[in-house]
Amino acid sequence: MPPLSPIFTPEAAQVISSIRRRELDISDVQIPRLKTCLGPLSLQHKLSTELREDIDVFARQIETLDAMVDDQKGSKSRRELRVLADEFNQTLSKLRKDYRAALIFSKRTIDSSNVSNRNELLASTVVKDSRDVNEKVTEDAVMQANNDVTEALQRTLSLMQGELERSVLTTQMLDSSMSTLRATSSTHDVLSNAVDTSKQLITALQKSDRMDRLLIFFGLILFFLSVSIVLKERVFDRSVRLAFWWTRFLPSGKVSVFISDASSSVVS
């Protein structure tokens, strides 16, 4: 591969480098791989499609390089790039011929391989036909046994499914019962707390009621004592003083004796 001329533009040099890499990949890797493909046809078709697409890309890159000829600086650069583009076009024609030749060669190889495989298959089929007659009865018996086993397994599976459904239903009922029990327990706890609080309140009210009764009782006693004192001071003592107002004119000794006698007589 000759070195690139430094007088080309960087874009043209990049396209030339890409074209040369793709040329090497197509000629040295993809075409030999397609030519030596022994099948199956799907693999051959995949390799052929990839190679054809790379050749199309190679052709488009050459067209791009050809369009860059007029963008080069100087007539020498344009002339050299034109010559290089023509060389790549010749290489493209050669690659297309090699591609068609490799495809035809691979197709013939695969066809030959298929014919050989078909002959071997026919030979083996003749041998198998003779064996099939002897093995048919045995296979029928085996198939009948397999059918019986299959039916038994299906019945067992149906029973297991029924048991599983019942187990699921029982589990759901247990879950529902547990939820109900948990709700009942929570309600019981709430009611127990409410009852304890009510007991405490009732006890406190009873104590308060007893204290109120005692206070009312002592208040009544104090009231009656106060009334008694007031009545004594306002009524009894004043009545006595009014009744014995004339005793002021008696001597002091006689007055004292008279008042004590009067008091004793009133008390008796």
Side-chain angles (χ1 to χ4, degrees):
M1 180 185 298
L4 296 178
S5 176
I7 60 177
F8 294 149
T9 60
E11 294 81 3
Q14 185 177 2
V15 173
I16 292 170
S17 178
S18 177
I19 289 174
R20 286 177 174 171
R21 287 196 302 270
R22 193 171 297 278
E23 176 189 355
L24 289 175
D25 180 66
I26 293 173
S27 61
D28 295 345
V29 178
Q30 296 194 48
I31 290 177
R33 184 174 57 188
L34 176 61
K35 187 175 182 180
T36 57
C37 179
L38 300 178
L41 289 175
S42 58
L43 177 59
Q44 185 209 32
H45 179 70
K46 179 180 178 181
L47 296 177
S48 173
T49 302
E50 292 177 356
L51 180 54
R52 185 173 60 253
E53 290 176 353
D54 283 346
I55 291 175
D56 292 339
V57 173
F58 184 73
R60 287 195 295 271
Q61 289 178 337
I62 294 173
E63 291 176 357
T64 302
L65 184 65
D66 188 55
M68 291 181 177
V69 172
D70 295 334
D71 297 335
Q72 306 304 310
K73 297 179 180 179
S75 59
K76 181 179 179 181
S77 298
R78 289 193 291 271
R79 186 171 57 254
E80 289 183 0
L81 189 59
R82 175 65 65 187
V83 172
L84 190 59
D86 293 338
E87 291 178 357
F88 284 142
N89 280 318
Q90 294 175 2
T91 303
L92 176 61
S93 299
K94 181 178 180 300
L95 291 177
R96 284 175 173 169
K97 292 179 181 179
D98 293 341
Y99 160 69
R100 288 192 291 269
L103 183 61
I104 293 171
F105 184 83
S106 176
K107 182 66 169 60
R108 290 176 179 175
T109 303
I110 294 174
D111 290 341
S112 300
S113 178
N114 289 336
V115 170
S116 177
N117 292 333
R118 190 179 300 110
N119 292 331
E120 292 179 358
L121 181 61
L122 290 174
S124 62
T125 303
V126 173
V127 176
K128 288 181 179 179
D129 289 339
S130 61
R131 294 177 180 176
D132 290 341
V133 175
N134 296 325
E135 295 177 355
K136 187 174 182 180
V137 177
T138 304
E139 289 180 357
D140 292 339
V142 172
M143 289 297 296
Q144 184 63 35
N146 289 333
N147 292 332
D148 294 339
V149 172
T150 303
E151 291 177 357
L153 290 175
Q154 289 176 351
R155 289 194 297 271
T156 304
L157 181 60
S158 299
L159 292 174
M160 293 178 65
Q161 289 178 348
E163 292 295 331
L164 180 61
E165 291 176 357
R166 284 192 289 272
S167 299
V168 171
L169 180 60
T170 303
T171 304
Q172 293 176 353
M173 293 177 64
L174 287 175
D175 292 339
S176 177
S177 300
M178 289 296 295
S179 301
T180 304
L181 288 174
R182 284 194 293 267
T184 304
S185 177
S186 301
T187 305
H188 180 268
D189 294 337
V190 173
L191 292 176
S192 297
N193 294 330
V195 170
D196 293 337
T197 304
S198 300
K199 287 181 179 179
Q200 294 176 359
L201 290 174
I202 291 171
T203 303
L205 289 174
Q206 289 176 350
K207 291 181 180 179
S208 177
D209 182 67
R210 286 195 294 270
M211 290 297 296
D212 291 340
R213 289 175 183 274
L214 289 174
L215 289 174
I216 291 171
F217 179 74
F218 285 117
L220 288 173
I221 292 174
L222 182 61
F223 173 75
F224 285 124
L225 287 176
S226 299
V227 170
S228 300
I229 292 171
V230 170
L231 289 175
K232 178 179 178 301
E233 293 290 334
R234 296 290 184 179
V235 178
F236 183 75
D237 291 346
R238 181 175 293 182
S239 299
V240 171
R241 284 196 297 269
L242 289 175
F244 296 99
W245 61 272
W246 49 270
T247 58
R248 289 181 296 177
F249 300 102
L250 295 177
S252 59
K254 291 182 179 181
V255 171
S256 299
V257 172
F258 181 79
I259 290 172
S260 62
D261 292 338
S263 298
S264 61
S265 62
V266 170
V267 171
S268 61

